Amino acid sequence: MPRWRIPLRAPVVLASAGLLLAGCANPSTGSADDDPTKPVTITFWHGWSAPGEVKAINDSIARFEKLHPNIRVRATGNVSDATVNQALRAGGDEAPDVVSSFTTNNVGQYCDSGMWVDLDPFMKKTGLKKDEVFPRSLLNYTSYQGNQCALPLLADAFGMYYNKDAFKEAGIARPPKTMSEFVADSKKLTEKSGNSYKRVGFMPNFRLYQNSPDRLFAQWGPTYFDKSGKSRLAKEPASYEFFKTARKLVDAQGGYDALEKFRTSFGDEMSNQNAFLSGKLAMHLDGEWRGLMLDDAKAKFDWGVAPLPVPDDQAETYGRGYLTGTVAGIAHSSKHQNAAWELVRFLTADTDQVVKFANAIHNVPSTYAALKSPKLDADPTFRTFLDIAKNKYSQVLPPSTNGGMYIVQLQDFSYSEEAGDVPDLKKGLKRLDRLIDADTLQSKN
């Protein structure tokens, strides 16, 4: 359950680190001439830190070392992207060989800077056909301008958790499939308590937990950049429909000020005071990991999972969702790149390994074969997220050389827009495009 621990605004720091990466010369050059059958020790830096996660990754390494007894893996966990970037810039023997990241937003920087090596030559050399192994959507967020510098290492899919008891009380037979149903059901499920609320149907505020605007925006299937790499949010019809729907959700449930005041009463996302767990939300956007947490907390109501609703004029896309995930690659400074590739290939493409790891940390598998495996967790709520991951309309964020900065800028704009501080949406989106383009240009210089 890795990604939920990352603050939504984390890309600010990472993007700044990425600007340093993109502008520096490679301090040292690794080697792909090593013999992976010879005894060697390689280092693997990753971000997992919870005891169950660390056990799962250590078990994975033990399985790898059993298959490759000549390769010893020295793993270091709880490592941030900023730390990895600093080590790769410095180079030397202390830099890692294999690296992983929870931040798919930064893949454009990893590839463009050359700090993570292109994996296509390794795949060609060992016969791994990536288009037959990995879903296209996941390959899209692990490459940049033709450079496949990373591969997916499990994925996250976002859907909607809903309180079945609340739905039954409100006389609603099933979760909403379209945005118009979403607005109507949210209003019907909202219960006032004096000047505040007992419960809201769906909290649309973008500062809530996992409600980063890009995640709901994905239901429209927007195009963020044109072919030349310039931001086109002001030219994207979906932008206007998205913010219009968000406004309808707010107005249907009492207005921004009242909802924002209620939101500030919510407990911590990862505690037993989580607003959905405590019954203050009837519907909630979240990832596949939330199901385990609801079970562990012994939720006092019957709950279910469904895909998020889609625009009324895109009903055929229902089942789609927002996808992200962990990525893995090889450091440019590694002098054991062939041995490092053996570990990357095992962690990302070995079906049995991917399934075991997915079951252990309750994340979505990232290969076609693993997604179809009968050994996967049979929990029907988890299966819903597998279906979202397999849906051809599900969307990932496009990589950018400025990392996740454009998403941070979208967040800031969305906070202002929902609070009523953007008097002209078109002008506001044009200004947002200019800001994104300026940062992209700066990152290239």
Side-chain angles (χ1 to χ4, degrees):
M1 299 176 284
R3 259 74 54 195
W4 50 251
R5 289 197 304 277
I6 299 175
L8 292 180
R9 296 188 58 80
V12 174
V13 176
L14 300 179
S16 299
L19 293 177
L20 293 173
L21 267 180
C24 70
N26 289 352
S28 60
T29 303
S31 171
D33 296 328
D34 61 302
D35 184 347
T37 66
K38 300 293 185 180
V40 66
T41 296
I42 60 174
T43 54
F44 172 36
W45 287 10
H46 63 82
W48 287 286
S49 61
E53 298 168 352
V54 173
K55 181 180 185 304
I57 199 67
N58 287 341
D59 288 346
S60 299
I61 291 171
R63 289 191 287 269
F64 171 78
E65 290 180 336
K66 186 174 182 180
L67 288 174
H68 300 269
N70 62 297
I71 303 177
R72 180 179 172 234
V73 179
R74 188 169 66 243
T76 300
N78 198 23
V79 182
S80 70
D81 277 40
T83 300
V84 171
N85 290 345
Q86 291 166 2
L88 296 189
R89 289 178 63 232
D93 294 338
E94 298 303 315
D97 297 293
V98 176
V99 286
S100 70
S101 170
F102 296 154
T103 313
T104 59
N105 295 358
N106 285 335
V107 168
Q109 292 179 340
Y110 306 148
C111 297
D112 197 43
S113 68
M115 288 292 176
W116 290 30
V117 304
D118 185 0
L119 298 180
D120 276 325
F122 295 92
M123 287 186 272
K124 183 177 180 180
K125 186 162 47 178
T126 55
L128 192 156
K129 298 179 180 179
K130 62 183 180 181
D131 291 312
E132 296 179 6
V133 175
F134 304 102
R136 171 48 52 184
S137 58
L138 305 192
L139 288 176
N140 287 343
Y141 72 57
T142 51
S143 64
Y144 181 68
Q145 294 185 347
N147 182 348
Q148 190 75 53
C149 74
L151 287 176
L153 177 56
L154 302 190
D156 282 330
F158 285 77
M160 188 177 71
Y161 288 81
Y162 65 102
N163 185 323
K164 289 185 176 181
D165 292 345
F167 268 63
K168 186 176 180 180
E169 291 171 8
I172 303 173
R174 58 166 176 78
K177 293 184 177 182
T178 64
M179 289 297 168
S180 61
E181 291 178 348
F182 195 23
V183 173
D185 289 351
S186 294
K187 182 177 182 179
K188 198 170 185 179
L189 289 159
T190 297
E191 290 188 8
K192 291 289 186 72
S193 177
N195 294 326
S196 185
Y197 298 90
K198 177 182 178 182
R199 179 184 69 213
V200 298
F202 176 81
M203 178 63 76
N205 300 48
F206 295 126
R207 295 180 189 272
L208 173 69
Y209 302 162
Q210 297 293 324
N211 275 19
S212 180
D214 48 298
R215 292 169 186 175
L216 185 59
F217 194 21
Q219 297 307 101
W220 277 262
T223 300
Y224 282 84
F225 301 100
D226 63 22
K227 291 182 180 179
S228 66
K230 289 190 173 182
S231 180
R232 63 177 307 276
L233 291 173
K235 297 178 182 178
E236 173 59 70
S239 299
Y240 301 92
E241 292 302 316
F242 164 60
F243 284 111
K244 181 180 178 181
T245 300
R247 174 56 52 190
K248 286 181 178 179
L249 283 165
V250 169
D251 292 344
Q253 298 174 96
Y256 173 78
D257 290 340
L259 288 172
E260 179 63 5
K261 183 178 180 180
F262 187 52
R263 182 189 69 83
T264 60
S265 73
F266 294 173
D268 182 78
E269 179 184 3
M270 299 307 152
S271 74
N272 283 349
Q273 298 305 308
N274 173 285
F276 180 71
L277 178 60
S278 61
K280 292 183 176 181
L281 299 176
M283 295 181 284
H284 182 49
L285 184 161
D286 218 328
E288 74 283 343
W289 59 82
R290 179 62 56 186
L292 273 183
M293 301 180 77
L294 290 170
D295 285 340
D296 289 345
K298 296 180 173 55
K300 297 178 180 178
F301 55 88
D302 191 14
W303 57 273
V305 179
L308 286 160
V310 297
D312 289 51
D313 61 355
Q314 297 185 44
E316 73 282 1
T317 67
Y318 180 71
R320 77 189 316 172
Y322 171 92
L323 304 179
T324 185
T326 303
V327 300
I330 299 172
H332 78 289
S333 55
S334 171
K335 293 179 169 56
H336 312 289
Q337 291 179 10
N338 288 314
W341 164 245
E342 291 302 325
L343 177 59
V344 170
R345 178 168 63 151
F346 174 77
L347 291 175
T348 63
D350 182 283
T351 302
D352 189 56
Q353 159 60 23
V354 173
V355 170
K356 287 180 178 178
F357 194 33
N359 284 341
I361 67 172
H362 213 62
N363 278 180
V364 175
S366 42
T367 69
Y368 285 122
L371 282 166
K372 297 175 183 176
S373 173
K375 297 179 182 178
L376 269 180
D377 189 335
D379 178 0
T381 60
F382 185 53
R383 293 279 175 176
T384 298
F385 290 101
L386 300 184
D387 291 339
I388 292 170
K390 289 185 283 187
N391 187 288
K392 66 179 181 179
Y393 297 108
S394 288
Q395 188 169 41
V396 301
L397 287 174
S400 169
T401 190
N402 81 344
M405 182 56 73
Y406 73 97
I407 297 302
V408 174
Q409 290 164 330
L410 174 63
Q411 289 170 347
D412 287 340
F413 176 82
S414 300
Y415 300 153
S416 296
E417 205 287 328
E418 71 178 354
D421 296 332
V422 180
D424 188 314
L425 182 56
K426 187 172 185 178
K427 286 183 179 179
L429 287 170
K430 285 183 176 180
R431 181 176 181 274
L432 176 60
D433 284 336
R434 290 195 296 271
L435 288 172
I436 292 172
D437 290 340
D439 276 329
T440 300
L441 181 62
Q442 182 182 0
S443 69
K444 292 180 178 180
N445 295 330

